[in-house]
């Protein structure tokens, strides 16, 4: 069964994440990155989360999104063929524990690609003041799976990740 393009613009409820020093330090330690800024809580003005830490609080939303497939024609076997194909993270400001962040997921586009159906998901994270913290674009390819319905590429310029260039 194909991936239905009708899931584009489907959004999750905002999910709150309590970001604390232990969680961010554990993530940095797991990466083997012991930079003082990620480990030294005795200097709170300089203590920040690792730049890739957003994957920790975004992942539960990505996993929960798979429930959409139960109503959008993908079988469990087809959903299991999904592979992480692209990832673009825009950091608007550093994550400074302790703080509460709110993340919302939205399906930004569905396209046909040679290896299968490509789905781009956008995750927007804000702080308690509703100011942007980070935006991730997570792309999955469902190998050997077609697309049902019209192709819906990301429509907004904001939904099209810009390639990184060197100065």
């Amino acid at each position: 069964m194909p991936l239905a393009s009708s899931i584009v613009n489907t959004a999750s409820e905002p999910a709150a994440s309590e970001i604390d020093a232990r969680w961010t330090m554990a993530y940095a330690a797991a990466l083997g990155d012991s930079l003082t800024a990620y480990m030294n809580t005795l200097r709170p003005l300089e203590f920040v989360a690792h730049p890739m830490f957003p994957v920790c609080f975004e992942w539960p939303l990505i996993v929960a999104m798979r429930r959409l497939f139960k109503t959008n024609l993908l079988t469990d076997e087809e959903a299991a063929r999904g592979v992480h194909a692209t990832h673009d993270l825009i950091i608007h400001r550093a994550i400074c524990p302790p703080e509460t962040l709110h993340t919302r997921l939205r399906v930004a586009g569905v396209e046909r690609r040679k290896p299968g159906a490509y789905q781009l998901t956008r995750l927007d994270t804000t702080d308690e003041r509703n100011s942007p913290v980070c935006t991730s674009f997570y792309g999955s390819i469902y190998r050997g799976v077609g697309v049902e319905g019209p192709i819906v590429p990301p429509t907004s310029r904001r939904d099209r990740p810009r390639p990184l260039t060197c100065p």
Side-chain angles (χ1 to χ4, degrees):
M1 313 261 348
L3 178 65
S5 64
S6 61
I7 65 171
V8 173
N9 290 321
T10 301
S12 71
E13 293 296 319
S17 299
E18 298 295 328
I19 311 301
D20 63 29
R22 294 188 80 132
W23 191 13
T24 63
M25 288 188 299
Y27 180 77
L31 295 178
D33 196 336
S34 58
L35 189 66
T36 302
Y38 310 142
M39 297 293 183
N40 189 352
T41 58
L42 297 176
R43 300 183 76 149
L45 295 178
E46 298 170 13
F47 181 71
V48 296
H50 189 279
M52 287 305 299
F53 181 75
V55 299
C56 296
F57 53 82
E58 292 171 343
W59 187 245
L61 285 168
I62 292 168
V63 171
M65 179 188 65
R66 293 178 183 167
R67 284 182 287 221
L68 285 174
F69 298 142
K70 297 291 184 192
T71 59
N72 286 286
L73 305 178
L74 281 189
T75 66
D76 289 340
E77 189 269 330
E78 289 169 328
R81 286 192 242 156
V83 294
H84 185 175
T86 61
H87 199 125
D88 184 24
L89 170 61
I90 300 166
I91 300 170
H92 304 289
R93 71 149 176 91
I95 296 172
C96 306
E99 66 177 319
T100 302
L101 301 178
H102 303 274
T103 305
R104 187 175 188 123
L105 175 148
R106 181 175 62 83
V107 179
V110 171
E111 300 174 340
R112 287 182 188 92
R113 301 250 172 119
K114 187 175 181 178
Y118 175 75
Q119 175 185 297
L120 183 66
T121 302
R122 178 181 175 142
L123 297 111
D124 290 295
T125 300
T126 56
D127 61 19
E128 289 291 313
R129 295 179 312 268
N130 205 31
S131 296
V133 176
C134 60
T135 303
S136 291
F137 296 92
Y138 180 92
S140 298
I141 290 183
Y142 295 90
R143 294 170 295 150
V145 174
V147 173
E148 177 181 272
I151 299 305
V152 186
T155 55
S156 165
R157 188 163 186 74
R158 291 178 48 202
D159 286 342
R160 296 178 191 265
R162 291 176 306 172
L164 296 176
T165 58
C166 295

